[in-house]
């Protein structure tokens, strides 16, 4: 059943006529916080230059807290080296949906690609596909991963795995921009969701940003052996590089438990899917966990208030990032979200984190997942999560 497009609300004032403040669910965790046991959300009191939520280790900034030290000009200068691109094409929000007006709900498409310097620019697929949804109240952020093997109708290319959309769009000189545009168009056709912006980051960018942060704390739920990396003489190396050395190789094994991970280790762990009980579904949760861990470390390490460290992180991310803010200046995007007060991203699972295999052998979206996308489109995701707590990620 097609979802009707609704105009954005003209006011974000909680006291505005007809506006009902949404009930925002929090993820279960220590202390019993969750949809069934909520605590009142309070504003952070620490004055921050900005609170950065690192999307794929990038510098997509969602500011929060009571104070922002610095002007739009300062923020604009700090983010000026981030590469801009046209990533949305026809999948951007229309004027009827709000266009460039960010006063309502905000939806962004986040894509992770594995593109090494030696590979052809057109030989790239997007193996991480995430929708970031911020409701009109601008007080929470949700991450929803789309399984890479989801069966989808790709405009002009028939039915295929959804991650192939990026590959098809990158052909014939399309590059990252063409790949993202076709991916965005495919997702809009499948879900009805239009986007305010998009970001692409090469997986190698993760390592650089985590290295700038130092380490991140990651909890491994299931022991898994890396299919990408091995130790040689005690040093981690790509298997392809290690084999050339002709020395004994010891596989990298990510053991169960929580630990501080360096950039190479966190990146390698977040890329694993073989050997995990639920394959790509477990990987999706691990990648979401990494994003949250990076955001938390940036907030707690003092990096946000240290201009030198902040510039190092922005530079590291900018080298592997392409961003499209739908024609809105990056600094305006940041200031629009200055009231965001959630300390954690809410990470959600399609298909409840379990396989939902179609007759073709590809994954499909079950009815609950389709309802979740409709809730995003209608900006009713908080109510949906409260009624369907099984969509919440199980990762800490």
């Amino acid at each position: 059943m097609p979802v009707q497009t609704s105009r954005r609300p003209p006011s974000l004032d909680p006291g505005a006529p007809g506006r009902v403040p949404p009930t925002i669910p929090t993820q279960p965790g220590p202390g019993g916080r969750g949809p069934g046991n909520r605590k009142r959300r309070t504003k952070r009191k620490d004055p921050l230059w900005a609170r950065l939520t690192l999307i794929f280790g990038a510098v997509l900034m969602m500011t929060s807290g009571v104070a922002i030290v610095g002007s739009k000009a300062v923020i604009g200068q700090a983010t000026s080296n981030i590469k801009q691109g046209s990533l949305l094409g026809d999948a951007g929000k229309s004027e009827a949906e709000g266009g460039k007006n960010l006063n309502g709900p905000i939806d962004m498409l986040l894509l992770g690609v594995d593109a090494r310097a030696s590979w052809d620019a057109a030989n790239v697929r997007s193996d991480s596909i995430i929708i970031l949804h911020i409701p009109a109240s601008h007080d929470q952020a949700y991450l929803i991963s789309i399984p890479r093997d989801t069966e989808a109708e790709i405009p002009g290319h028939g039915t295929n795995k959804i991650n192939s959309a990026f590959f098809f769009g990158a052909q014939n000189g399309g590059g990252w921009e063409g790949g993202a545009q076709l991916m965005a168009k495919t997702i809009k056709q499948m879900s009805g969701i239009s986007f305010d912006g998009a970001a692409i980051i090469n997986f190698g960018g993760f390592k650089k940003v985590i290295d700038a942060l130092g380490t991140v704390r990651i909890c491994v739920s299931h022991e898994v052996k890396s299919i990408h990396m091995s130790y040689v003489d005690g040093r981690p190396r790509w298997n392809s590089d290690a084999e050339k050395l002709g020395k004994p190789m010891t596989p990298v094994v990510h053991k169960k438990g929580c630990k501080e991970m360096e950039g190479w280790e966190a990146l390698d762990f977040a890329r694993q899917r073989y050997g995990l009980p639920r394959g790509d579904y477990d990987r999706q949760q691990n990648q979401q966990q990494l994003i949250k861990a990076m955001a938390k470390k940036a907030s707690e390490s003092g990096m946000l208030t240290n201009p030198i460290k902040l510039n190092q992180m922005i530079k590291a991310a900018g080298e592997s990032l392409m961003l499209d803010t739908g024609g809105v200046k990056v600094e305006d995007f940041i200031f629009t979200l200055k009231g965001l007060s959630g300390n954690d991203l809410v990470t959600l699972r399609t298909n409840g984190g379990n396989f939902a295999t179609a007759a073709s052998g590809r994954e499909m979206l079950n009815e609950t997942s389709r309802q979740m996308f409709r809730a995003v489109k209608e900006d009713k995701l908080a109510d949906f999560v409260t009624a369907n707590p099984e969509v919440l990620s199980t990762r800490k």
Side-chain angles (χ1 to χ4, degrees):
M1 178 177 175
V3 178
Q4 295 297 319
T5 300
S6 59
R7 291 183 178 271
R8 295 187 174 194
S11 172
L12 295 181
D13 179 4
R19 174 168 172 73
V20 179
T23 301
I24 306 297
T26 56
Q27 297 207 80
R33 292 183 65 183
N37 187 12
R38 299 184 183 85
K39 292 183 179 180
R40 182 176 179 81
R41 189 183 303 275
T42 58
K43 293 278 187 180
R44 291 176 60 92
K45 295 182 179 180
D46 36 328
L48 303 178
W49 176 84
R51 187 175 189 275
L52 309 184
T53 298
L54 301 176
I55 303 302
F56 286 105
V59 196
L60 174 64
M61 299 181 180
M62 296 187 297
T63 57
S64 72
V66 250
I68 297 178
V69 181
S71 64
K72 287 186 180 181
V74 172
I75 297 175
Q77 183 178 6
T79 58
S80 61
N81 290 331
I82 296 177
K83 186 176 182 180
Q84 301 274 336
S86 177
L87 307 180
L88 293 175
D90 297 336
K93 286 188 175 173
S94 66
E95 289 300 317
E97 294 171 304
K100 297 180 181 180
N101 179 6
L102 298 179
N103 289 334
I106 296 173
D107 298 294
M108 291 197 70
L109 176 61
L110 312 174
L111 303 173
V113 300
D114 190 353
R116 301 177 197 172
S118 60
W119 293 2
D120 188 293
N123 188 25
V124 177
R125 285 174 170 78
S126 178
D127 283 342
S128 293
I129 308 165
I130 297 180
I131 293 174
L132 165 68
H133 174 72
I134 300 170
S137 51
H138 291 182
D139 58 0
Q140 188 64 73
Y142 299 88
L143 295 178
I144 305 174
S145 293
I146 299 178
R148 65 190 293 278
D149 293 337
T150 300
E151 187 171 79
E153 184 67 28
I154 302 173
H157 298 277
T159 302
N160 211 316
K161 293 180 180 179
I162 195 168
N163 72 330
S164 297
F166 195 95
F167 173 81
F168 291 135
Q171 302 306 300
N172 302 316
W176 280 20
E177 290 179 280
Q181 288 178 17
L182 187 56
M183 177 66 78
K185 187 174 183 179
T186 300
I187 294 174
K188 179 178 180 179
Q189 179 175 279
M190 179 179 71
S191 67
I193 299 171
S194 300
F195 297 99
D196 297 275
I200 309 175
I201 191 167
N202 186 347
F203 281 131
F206 272 115
K207 179 182 182 301
K208 293 179 181 179
V209 177
I210 298 172
D211 287 344
L213 289 169
T215 60
V216 290
R217 183 170 177 79
I218 298 293
C219 293
V220 178
S221 299
H222 304 282
E223 180 174 310
V224 60
K225 183 175 74 173
S226 174
I227 65 167
H228 304 113
M229 302 191 75
S230 297
Y231 292 106
V232 177
D233 294 333
R235 295 180 57 189
R237 295 182 180 273
W238 291 103
N239 286 339
S240 57
D241 295 331
E243 290 168 357
K244 297 175 183 178
L245 299 176
K247 295 183 177 182
M249 298 166 54
T250 303
V252 170
V253 178
H254 301 284
K255 296 185 178 295
K256 188 174 180 179
C258 299
K259 63 178 294 190
E260 291 290 327
M261 290 189 181
E262 297 178 8
W264 72 266
E265 187 176 11
L267 170 62
D268 185 63
F269 171 65
R271 296 178 68 223
Q272 305 304 317
R273 63 187 176 108
Y274 295 108
L276 294 175
R278 294 178 179 83
D280 189 46
Y281 288 95
D282 281 331
R283 181 172 68 166
Q284 292 166 33
Q285 292 194 78
N286 292 339
Q287 290 175 344
Q288 292 175 344
Q289 180 188 188
L290 174 59
I291 294 171
K292 292 178 65 175
M294 295 171 76
K296 185 175 182 180
K297 184 62 177 283
S299 299
E300 296 176 349
S301 65
M303 177 168 283
L304 307 184
T305 55
N306 185 320
I308 296 176
K309 290 184 177 180
L310 187 62
N311 284 334
Q312 289 175 346
M313 183 171 61
I314 291 175
K315 182 179 179 181
E319 293 174 355
S320 302
L321 171 72
M322 183 181 289
L323 184 65
D324 182 353
T325 53
V328 177
K329 292 182 179 180
V330 175
E331 55 267 35
D332 290 339
F333 221 98
I334 293 171
F335 268 70
T336 296
L337 304 175
K338 63 180 181 290
L340 188 64
S341 60
N343 289 330
D344 294 319
L345 295 167
V346 175
T347 53
L348 305 179
R349 305 181 294 174
T350 48
N351 296 338
N354 294 300
F355 291 106
T357 308
S360 63
R362 301 169 184 143
E363 288 300 288
M364 60 181 183
L365 297 178
N366 63 20
E367 179 57 30
T368 300
S369 294
R370 290 193 290 270
Q371 290 175 8
M372 181 162 60
F373 285 127
R374 286 196 290 271
V376 171
K377 174 69 176 177
E378 298 170 354
D379 195 24
K380 297 179 180 178
L381 191 55
D383 293 337
F384 174 83
V385 174
T386 300
N388 299 273
E390 69 275 10
V391 302
L392 287 165
S393 173
T394 58
R395 298 294 187 270
K396 294 182 180 179

